[in-house]
Amino acid sequence: AESKGYTYFQVPDASKINPDSSVTAILCMSGLPSDLTASVLAHEATHAWIKLHPNFDITKPIPLKVEEGCCQLVAYLFLCSGLPQASNGNDDSGPSDEKLRQYFKFSIETDENEI
């Protein structure tokens, strides 16, 4: 699956008093449907939360599969219950918000990527 977002974080300077990592940016592609943008940002915010958590240790990070799985879970849960009810308008301008949301959830459910 093609990446739609990215979280940048810095490896801490060991000489600092508080050597926690810091998140420098969360990026998301522009022009995406609003529900997809919301789920991408929920996913990327979860990466940031993990990196900023007080127990995060850069020398012993959680396995990438686990981190990515947690981020996908949060994105999926956000699509399920973190957004207002999607409209199911049936006009000729494209799929309804409800159909798009169903597709985004299906894409997460069936994603077979290792990470």
Side-chain angles (χ1 to χ4, degrees):
E2 183 179 321
S3 176
K4 308 251 186 296
Y6 193 79
T7 301
Y8 288 99
F9 72 99
Q10 295 177 333
V11 175
D13 180 354
S15 66
K16 289 183 181 176
I17 292 173
N18 186 358
D20 294 332
S21 65
S22 63
V23 173
T24 56
I26 294 178
L27 305 177
C28 183
M29 292 176 63
S30 64
L32 299 174
S34 60
D35 283 1
L36 181 56
T37 299
S39 69
V40 167
L41 291 174
H43 176 109
E44 297 305 328
T46 305
H47 282 295
W49 182 84
I50 290 168
K51 302 297 189 241
L52 294 173
H53 192 277
N55 293 335
F56 178 72
D57 183 349
I58 194 71
T59 64
K60 296 184 281 185
I62 62 174
L64 191 53
K65 281 184 182 181
V66 174
E67 181 175 335
E68 199 59 33
C70 290
C71 295
Q72 285 290 75
L73 175 62
V74 170
Y76 181 82
L77 293 173
F78 196 79
L79 286 169
C80 289
S81 58
L83 296 168
Q85 185 172 354
S87 67
N88 59 358
N90 294 327
D91 58 19
D92 292 333
S93 66
S96 67
D97 291 341
E98 182 179 359
K99 289 291 182 191
L100 284 171
R101 191 176 294 177
Q102 286 175 349
Y103 175 73
F104 301 147
K105 290 191 299 188
F106 174 79
S107 295
I108 293 172
E109 291 169 351
T110 59
D111 186 4
E112 294 182 356
N113 280 338
E114 289 286 316
I115 55 166

